[in-house]
Amino acid sequence: MAGSESKCPYCGSKSFSGGVKSPDGSIRARCVKCGNSLIFPPQPAAGTIGAPQKDSKAVGASPKVELKAGAGDEREANLQAKELLIEGAALFNDKKYPAAVIKFRAASDKVPRNIDILQALATACSRQNLLYEALAAYTKILEIDPSHRESLLKASMLHIQRKRYAQGEGFLKKLIELEPGNAQAALMLKIAEDNKRLEESVAAMKRAHEAQVETTSPIEIITGLIGAAGRKTKIYASGWVAFPLFLIAIRGVAGPDSAATPWLLYLSLFYTVWLALSLHELGHGVCALFLGDDTALKSGRVTLNPLSHFSTIGSAVVPLFAYLAGGVVFGWAKSAPFNPVNMKRQPLGAVLTAGMGPFTSFMVSYAMFILFMVLAAAHNSIHPESHVWFTAALSDPIKAGAGYLEPFWFVALELTALGAVINLLVGAFNLLPFPPLDGWWILKAAAPRLLTPRVERKATLGGVLALAVAVATGFAPLFLYPAYVALSFYYFVSGAAL
């Protein structure tokens, strides 16, 4: 076997296998790392270097011996480097770039300051996409010959590709000084300067946007949206206040025993569902905007304009038929889109944006219940003969004792009771882990990434089948179990306090 100081001339490895000693004392072995077959001659006497032997597959080299450098050593290294360079060129022409890189590296180790070898190494590394090593080879050439034209151009191109514009511009300016008429260098310099300005502009805009997002609270965002809203949007948004006044007028004209009372309840239900869905989507949009994504804002969903969130099928037809068929409200509004890529932290940004919709619904439900309690207490103090309290039944959201509910009290208590119920159901339903509901986004962010694509392909069909089976078997209320628990709490509190 070769001596312990023997190295593979191609890859520098010291690990060999299959050492077979020949009668003349030479050793045939194979490099474990690169697989080249080598022949190591007998150990030479002190002060001499054994001549390399040739094998049918590769060229071997003598073991490295610690001697003082001399003319013989340099000549031997040059011969070995030349042979390696020829072998590497043949491999390069055959498009065997990894093997060619190994040959050129070995040749460069033999003769470190040979420009031809370094240039061949840089070209092979570029073809192999070893850009850092190619750049190092070109830089070494420029250390030997600072006016090497090709290395100046290639090194500048690699620097620009790595977005190191200052270094690339420096090499190109030096090349233009050497060759004032070099059109390629002038074009590359212009490209580098344009890219540098573009990168600086984008970075400045990003810093300004991040600073604005960090210093802007959700309340300031909503206030700014109201202030920036156009006249038409403000007129439409005022409909949220005008519609309850319209219901009060109908109640006052029709009277408590009129046949229009059920339809008045349907209109109240329609208004409450529309408002609940609009606030739910507004919560998504404001949260996404706060986290740095303005997709919903550009889509016109971050607004108090009711028409921007209204879906004819999901906000009117489906809820009404679902209520008439089984007393259950089901519907949807135009979704507020968001792009997780624009958010600073992932998957936290997507989770927060998806969860903000149900959170908004729950907070609105709680606020509506508190408002119902205040209004009911005020009504009972004004009309002591009548007692009003909350019920968990959606078809009969309030209960009134003896006494007459005047139009204002009737509409105000119905809307607040419906608001408490509907928003609670909307929030609980959207937490179901089925696409495209909010619970699916939360589940997808929490699940392992390897399972996400496989689950995502079957999740929609699985969710539809699960809901269909639940409705057919009567287990649909189990999907909204948290909402019913909260409704029971509302019922208990209102019964005890009122």
Side-chain angles (χ1 to χ4, degrees), residues 309-391:
H309 303 284
F310 182 71
S311 170
T312 305
I313 302 297
S315 303
V317 178
V318 172
L320 181 60
F321 276 95
Y323 177 75
L324 293 175
V328 178
V329 176
F330 173 77
W332 60 87
K334 290 182 180 178
S335 61
F338 68 94
N339 187 358
V341 177
N342 297 333
M343 299 176 182
K344 291 181 289 185
R345 296 184 63 184
Q346 286 302 325
L348 181 61
V351 172
L352 291 177
T353 303
M356 184 53 67
F359 178 79
T360 301
S361 298
F362 293 143
M363 290 299 99
V364 173
S365 172
Y366 182 70
M368 286 292 182
F369 177 68
I370 295 299
L371 184 58
F372 171 84
M373 293 289 292
V374 172
L375 290 173
H379 174 268
N380 293 346
S381 64
I382 296 173
H383 301 280
E385 74 283 359
S386 176
H387 297 281
V388 179
W389 66 90
F390 189 93
T391 177

Side-chain angles (χ1 to χ4, degrees), residues 195-456:
N195 287 348
K196 183 179 178 180
R197 283 195 296 268
L198 180 61
E199 290 283 340
E200 292 175 350
S201 176
V202 171
M205 291 175 62
K206 187 176 180 180
R207 287 193 300 269
H209 179 69
E210 290 178 352
Q212 181 181 4
V213 169
E214 289 175 358
T215 57
T216 304
S217 67
I219 301 299
E220 291 174 337
I221 291 176
I222 295 175
T223 305
L225 291 172
I226 295 175
R231 182 179 178 183
K232 188 176 181 180
T233 299
K234 291 179 179 178
I235 292 175
Y236 285 144
S238 63
W240 295 120
V241 178
F243 195 80
L245 299 178
F246 172 70
L247 296 178
I248 292 173
I250 293 178
R251 174 70 174 183
V253 172
D257 299 326
S258 172
T261 300
W263 290 101
L264 189 64
L265 183 60
Y266 298 153
L267 289 175
S268 301
L269 179 66
F270 164 74
Y271 170 82
T272 308
V273 171
W274 191 2
L275 178 61
L277 296 176
S278 299
L279 292 176
H280 181 94
E281 298 301 332
L282 183 63
H284 286 309
V286 171
C287 182
L289 188 61
F290 177 71
L291 295 175
D293 176 38
D294 59 352
T295 305
L297 179 64
K298 292 179 180 178
S299 301
R301 299 292 182 270
V302 187
T303 177
L304 294 175
N305 183 354
L307 299 181
S308 298
H309 303 284
F310 182 71
S311 170
T312 305
I313 302 297
S315 303
V317 178
V318 172
L320 181 60
F321 276 95
Y323 177 75
L324 293 175
V328 178
V329 176
F330 173 77
W332 60 87
K334 290 182 180 178
S335 61
F338 68 94
N339 187 358
V341 177
N342 297 333
M343 299 176 182
K344 291 181 289 185
R345 296 184 63 184
Q346 286 302 325
L348 181 61
V351 172
L352 291 177
T353 303
M356 184 53 67
F359 178 79
T360 301
S361 298
F362 293 143
M363 290 299 99
V364 173
S365 172
Y366 182 70
M368 286 292 182
F369 177 68
I370 295 299
L371 184 58
F372 171 84
M373 293 289 292
V374 172
L375 290 173
H379 174 268
N380 293 346
S381 64
I382 296 173
H383 301 280
E385 74 283 359
S386 176
H387 297 281
V388 179
W389 66 90
F390 189 93
T391 177
L394 178 61
S395 58
D396 187 15
I398 64 172
K399 284 185 179 180
Y404 167 67
L405 281 177
E406 297 176 351
F408 168 78
W409 295 109
F410 176 80
V411 173
L413 292 171
E414 285 286 355
L415 290 181
T416 52
L418 280 172
V421 175
I422 297 300
N423 281 278
L424 199 57
L425 295 176
V426 168
F429 179 78
N430 275 275
L431 283 178
L432 295 178
F434 306 128
L437 301 177
D438 304 326
W440 166 247
W441 283 91
I442 299 173
L443 177 63
K444 188 167 69 168
R449 293 190 177 183
L450 294 176
L451 299 178
T452 300
R454 188 175 301 175
V455 174
E456 194 168 12

Side-chain angles (χ1 to χ4, degrees), residues 463-483:
V464 172
L465 291 177
L467 289 175
V469 171
V471 172
T473 58
F475 288 100
L478 292 178
F479 284 113
L480 303 175
Y481 180 74

